[in-house]
């Protein structure tokens, strides 16, 4: 049952991806042996705290890693084509056309000196052979479909004339223009207010479904993830610590880190005097402890955790966890 | 008994001084220079008892941080009164404010910007106390500083380091130790955990709750995150466009929100326990500009219930029992609530 999504030919298959940054103070293994599959039409949440490596995974897929960073190994298979080995020319054709990206800050991801219309048109000019009238028509349709009224007039407006929420709608419209098969959204609603956030999340989910696309939603916010995605991959110190279907991960995670993240969120239904917290802080990624990276903060750690690095393996239901003593499997409450 | 903090009719306007051409407008063919004024806070009143936690929630631009900064007298209020333990500090100058600072301290959102990067941690923490007691008591201040650092979970060796050597969560602990140094009765915390990762956020919230019990602190807690607010607050005030639209004890606000904006805010908040939302009010559109407030009710441009009365008459906060008040005409005409 857990193999269902893996047996279908996945749209994207990331295998043992390693993206390392060679800094003066040591090698930062920002992404270290990360693997996951994404099927057509699926939405996956990539979650973790700052420094977990979740954004670097997104940038690696798009080939946007600059020195001192480098993809050291692994494969990024988009429909069987390995993007980790693709030339810059080939990547340029893929970006925007096959894979689109939505960034966190809608203020900096749009060019302030060009009109919205010009920035939208550029996408179609580069990636399609539509003529000018057809491109314009498509831009107007797209703006309308993301809920921007008076689209024709708005094409002549500059980004600063839009509010944050409206700008993110424009960014989504641009991302969807060339019918990409994969959308990578990096903290798309983190800069937005909560009422605007819920509008944008609904919009993104609908757009992805309408276009039959797949999406990777990179976020630190488990609440956002739980409302939008089909499955979740949790990163800690550049490694996958748990993955599985959203319902299983949220309701009964098997990795203590995931459990800790969920319990840290105040629960209005069962208000407790103290929040349960994960003690300590994320270790220095240049100097990771031997064995399990999480063991210093883990309430379940035992001697084995200091000796041997846990491998990602099935625990229960749809869950895979990298833990020697996963929650809820044999001999514990 | 005096309240710890009493705020009455607080207003804060900011005059923008743009260029002449931006101000120039024509009315009936005649040129006119208009004033551009941001109405950040529009007549907000509330009080906080000793040891109570009041949270102000709302979206960006609703004036919640401005309220905090005006009470801390970082801004001079345009009108209204601010009283700390009954003492009216609204018109105090710098010198007169100094003793007031021993009763009221602030914790800021950004732990990277709110600590002086060139000062050692122990000097940062000692600074407010030294201002109060003078240089003569340096030795006692040093002892107290060390105790404070220990209390917030740092050790003496940390005192000799600089802020950049700490993580966000640790820096927020330093900010808390600094605020505590003068034994204040009130701490104004402006989004103290929103820059932190969720696991660290829980650590800081727990620390703040422990300190409250230990020192009998009152908090004015500014946040946009409803789940955080639900955890820490005794009472909640909801702000929109510079107005207080609803205040209520915590459980009441979450169980029976009355103002349409509060209801929308609660239903929009993402939750990992989605079972709890029964009604859903989805807002369209965005917050109007504080440069030109709508007539009548501030929320009517996005409110699904708004009718003609809302455009004419500005609703005032009215008591609806059990400590809850809301500023909405629906309270007079509940039959219009058709959701």
């Amino acid at each position: 049952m857990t193999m269902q999504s893996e047996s279908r030919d996945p749209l994207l298959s990331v295998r043992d991806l390693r993206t390392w940054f060679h800094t003066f103070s040591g090698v930062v293994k920002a992404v270290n042996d990360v693997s996951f599959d994404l099927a057509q039409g699926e939405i996956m949440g990539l979650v973790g705290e700052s420094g977990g490596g979740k954004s670097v995974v997104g940038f690696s897929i798009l080939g946007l890693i600059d020195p001192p960073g480098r993809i050291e190994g692994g494969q990024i298979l988009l429909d069987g084509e390995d993007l980790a080995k693709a030339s810059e020319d080939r990547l340029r054709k893929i970006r925007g056309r096959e894979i689109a990206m939505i960034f966190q800050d809608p203020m900096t991801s749009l060019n302030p000196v060009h009109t919205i219309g010009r920035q939208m048109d550029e996408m179609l000019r580069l990636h399609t052979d539509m003529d000018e009238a057809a491109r314009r028509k498509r831009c107007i349709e797209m703006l309308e479909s993301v809920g921007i009224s008076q689209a024709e007039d708005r094409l002549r407006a500059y980004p600063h004339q839009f509010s944050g929420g409206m700008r993110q709608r424009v960014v989504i419209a641009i991302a969807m223009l060339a019918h990409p098969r994969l959308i990578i959204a990096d903290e798309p609603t983190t800069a937005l207010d909560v009422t605007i956030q819920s509008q944008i999340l609904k919009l993104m989910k609908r757009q992805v479904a309408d276009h039959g696309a797949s999406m990777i939603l990179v976020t630190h916010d488990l609440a956002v993830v739980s409302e939008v995605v089909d499955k979740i991959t949790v990163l800690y110190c550049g490694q996958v610590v748990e993955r599985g279907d959203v319902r299983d991960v949220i309701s009964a995670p098997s990795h203590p880190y995931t459990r800790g993240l969920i319990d840290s969120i105040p629960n209005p239904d069962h208000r407790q005097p103290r929040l349960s917290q994960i003690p300590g802080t994320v270790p220095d990624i240049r100097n990771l402890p031997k064995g399990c990276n999480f063991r210093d903060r883990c309430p379940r750690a035992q001697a084995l955790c200091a000796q041997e690095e846990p491998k990602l393996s099935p625990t229960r239901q749809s869950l895979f966890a990298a833990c020697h003593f996963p929650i809820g499997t044999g001999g514990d409450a | 008994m005096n309240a710890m903090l009493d705020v009455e009719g607080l207003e804060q306007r900011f005059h923008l001084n743009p260029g002449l051409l931006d101000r120039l407008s024509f009315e009936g063919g005649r040129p006119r220079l208009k004033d551009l004024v941001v109405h950040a806070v529009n007549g907000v009143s509330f009080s906080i008892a000793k040891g109570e936690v009041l949270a102000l929630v709302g979206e960006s631009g609703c004036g919640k941080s401005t309220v905090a900064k005006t009470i801390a007298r970082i801004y001079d209020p345009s009108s209204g009164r601010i009283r700390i333990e009954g003492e009216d500090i609204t018109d105090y100058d710098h010198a007169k404010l100094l003793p007031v600072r021993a009763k009221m301290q602030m914790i800021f959102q950004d732990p990277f910007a709110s600590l002086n990067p060139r000062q050692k941690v122990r000097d940062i923490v000692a600074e407010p106390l030294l201002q109060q007691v003078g240089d003569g008591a340096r030795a006692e201040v040093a002892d107290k500083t060390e105790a404070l650092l220990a209390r917030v979970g740092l050790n003496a060796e940390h005192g000799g380091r600089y802020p950049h050597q700490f993580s966000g969560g640790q820096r927020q602990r330093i900010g808390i130790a600094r605020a505590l140094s003068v034994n204040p009765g009130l701490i104004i915390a402006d989004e103290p955990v929103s820059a932190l990762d969720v696991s660290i956020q829980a650590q800081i919230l727990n620390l703040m709750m422990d300190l409250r019990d230990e020192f009998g602190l009152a908090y004015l807690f500014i946040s946009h995150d409803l789940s955080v607010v639900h955890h820490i607050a005794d009472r909640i005030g909801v702000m929109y466009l510079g107005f207080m639209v609803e205040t209520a004890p915590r459980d009441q606000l979450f169980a029976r929100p009355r103002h349409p904006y509060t209801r929308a805010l609660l239903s929009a908040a993402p939750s990992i326990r989605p079972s709890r939302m029964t009604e859903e009010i989805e807002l369209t559109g965005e917050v109007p500009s504080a440069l030109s407030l709508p007539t009548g009710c501030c929320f009517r441009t996005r409110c699904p219930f708004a009718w003609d009365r809302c455009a004419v008459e500005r609703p005032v906060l009215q008591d609806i029992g059990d400590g809850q008040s809301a500023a909405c005409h629906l309270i007079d005409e509940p039959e219009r609530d058709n959701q």
Side-chain angles (χ1 to χ4, degrees), chain B residues 21-276:
Chain B
L21 283 176
D22 290 327
R23 290 175 57 196
L24 190 65
S25 64
F26 290 92
E27 270 172 30
R30 304 177 102 176
R32 206 176 80 92
L33 280 183
K34 60 176 190 300
D35 259 339
L36 289 180
V37 181
V38 177
H39 299 267
V41 179
N42 306 298
V44 165
S45 304
F46 58 87
S47 67
I48 302 179
K50 292 198 169 76
E52 187 185 36
V53 181
L54 174 75
L56 289 184
V57 296
E59 299 179 281
S60 19
C62 74
K64 56 192 192 299
S65 287
T66 308
V67 167
K69 288 180 179 163
T70 307
I71 291 169
R73 290 293 317 276
I74 294 172
Y75 301 140
D76 290 326
S78 308
S79 75
R81 309 305 317 166
I82 303 163
R83 294 186 198 88
I84 300 283
E85 290 184 316
E87 184 183 359
D88 190 332
I89 64 156
T90 321
D91 304 313
Y92 276 17
D93 60 15
H94 233 64
K96 280 174 120 176
L97 275 174
L98 184 60
V100 178
R101 302 265 179 236
K103 299 180 183 171
M104 162 178 77
Q105 282 288 313
M106 199 157 173
I107 302 172
F108 298 91
Q109 170 169 10
D110 185 348
F112 294 82
S114 58
L115 303 175
N116 186 341
R118 293 169 173 236
Q119 266 187 316
K120 286 184 179 161
V121 164
R122 73 165 72 90
D123 297 327
I124 290 174
V125 174
E127 175 110 23
L129 190 54
L130 282 176
Q131 294 286 331
Q132 298 291 339
V133 299
D135 276 355
R138 271 196 182 274
E140 291 146 52
V141 171
D143 289 347
K144 169 124 200 216
T145 304
E146 201 163 306
L148 278 169
L149 285 177
R151 182 60 199 87
V152 299
L154 299 168
N155 55 41
E157 174 227 340
H158 286 136
R161 296 195 195 162
Y162 290 93
H164 75 268
Q165 295 171 292
F166 294 90
S167 66
Q170 286 173 315
R171 282 183 219 213
Q172 210 55 305
R173 289 173 192 271
I174 298 167
I176 291 172
R178 172 175 63 183
L180 282 175
S181 64
V182 293
N183 290 331
L186 171 69
I187 288 189
I188 300 171
D190 186 3
E191 303 265 15
V193 296
S194 45
L196 306 175
D197 274 322
V198 58
S199 72
I200 308 299
Q201 187 171 315
Q203 293 176 5
I204 298 296
L205 287 175
N206 281 340
L207 175 65
M208 289 184 71
M209 293 302 268
D210 292 346
L211 293 171
R212 172 207 178 181
D213 295 341
E214 201 172 319
F215 298 102
L217 295 170
Y219 288 121
L220 174 61
F221 192 97
I222 313 291
S223 180
H224 69 282
D225 186 332
L226 285 165
S227 59
V228 165
V229 160
H230 185 275
H231 182 73
I232 201 163
D234 299 318
R235 215 148 47 83
I236 297 170
V238 181
M239 289 189 67
Y240 186 80
L241 211 59
F243 293 90
M244 186 81 88
V245 297
E246 181 158 11
T247 68
R250 176 194 64 231
D251 292 336
Q252 203 137 322
L253 189 92
F254 277 84
R256 281 196 308 281
R258 292 293 293 274
H259 196 283
Y261 178 64
T262 314
R263 287 151 68 180
L265 204 58
L266 290 176
S267 68
S271 168
I272 59 167
R273 292 116 185 158
S275 59
R276 44 190 300 274

Side-chain angles (χ1 to χ4, degrees), chain A residues 50 163 193 195 271 274 278, chain B residues 59-60 197 203 210 231 286:
Chain A
S50 345
S163 66
D193 278 319
T195 58
R271 190 170 175 278
R274 289 180 67 84
I278 304 177
Chain B
E59 299 179 281
S60 19
D197 274 322
Q203 293 176 5
D210 292 346
H231 182 73
E286 312 213 1

Side-chain angles (χ1 to χ4, degrees), chain A residues 67-222:
Chain A
R70 209 166 61 197
I71 296 181
E72 300 283 335
Q75 294 177 307
I76 302 166
L77 300 169
L78 182 73
D79 254 354
E81 180 183 1
D82 189 356
L83 301 185
K85 296 194 176 61
S87 67
E88 183 53 35
D89 261 2
R90 176 71 189 132
L91 282 172
R92 210 173 297 138
K93 290 209 174 67
I94 290 169
R95 281 183 216 130
R97 178 82 196 83
E98 310 278 333
I99 309 177
M101 183 129 189
I102 299 170
F103 295 93
Q104 170 170 359
D105 187 350
M107 194 62 230
T108 51
S109 52
L110 291 170
N111 188 331
V113 301
H114 292 315
T115 61
I116 297 300
R118 177 161 170 182
Q119 296 183 54
M120 294 185 78
D121 188 60
E122 183 186 20
M123 182 66 114
L124 291 175
R125 220 174 53 233
L126 291 176
H127 294 299
T128 68
D129 44 17
M130 296 162 89
D131 65 27
E132 200 179 333
R135 294 201 304 262
R136 192 179 153 76
K137 187 161 163 278
R138 172 113 181 84
C139 289
I140 293 171
E141 283 169 7
M142 201 62 226
L143 276 187
E144 279 167 352
S145 82
V146 296
I148 293 179
S149 54
Q150 298 160 331
E152 233 174 315
D153 297 334
R154 292 302 224 166
L155 284 178
R156 285 194 300 274
Y158 288 89
H160 76 268
Q161 293 169 299
F162 290 83
S163 66
M166 284 308 219
R167 250 180 254 141
Q168 203 61 306
R169 286 173 193 268
V170 172
V171 171
I172 292 169
I174 292 176
M176 304 309 295
L177 263 178
H179 294 297
R181 286 186 297 166
L182 173 64
I183 295 118
I184 298 174
D186 191 351
E187 304 272 10
T189 59
T190 307
L192 304 176
D193 278 319
V194 52
T195 58
I196 309 296
Q197 166 171 285
S198 76
Q199 294 173 9
I200 296 291
L201 288 175
K202 286 196 184 105
L203 171 68
M204 287 176 54
K205 198 168 175 166
R206 201 182 63 229
Q207 287 285 343
V208 168
D210 289 353
H211 289 79
S214 309
M215 179 159 78
I216 297 177
L217 183 65
V218 177
T219 179
H220 70 287
D221 190 335
L222 275 169

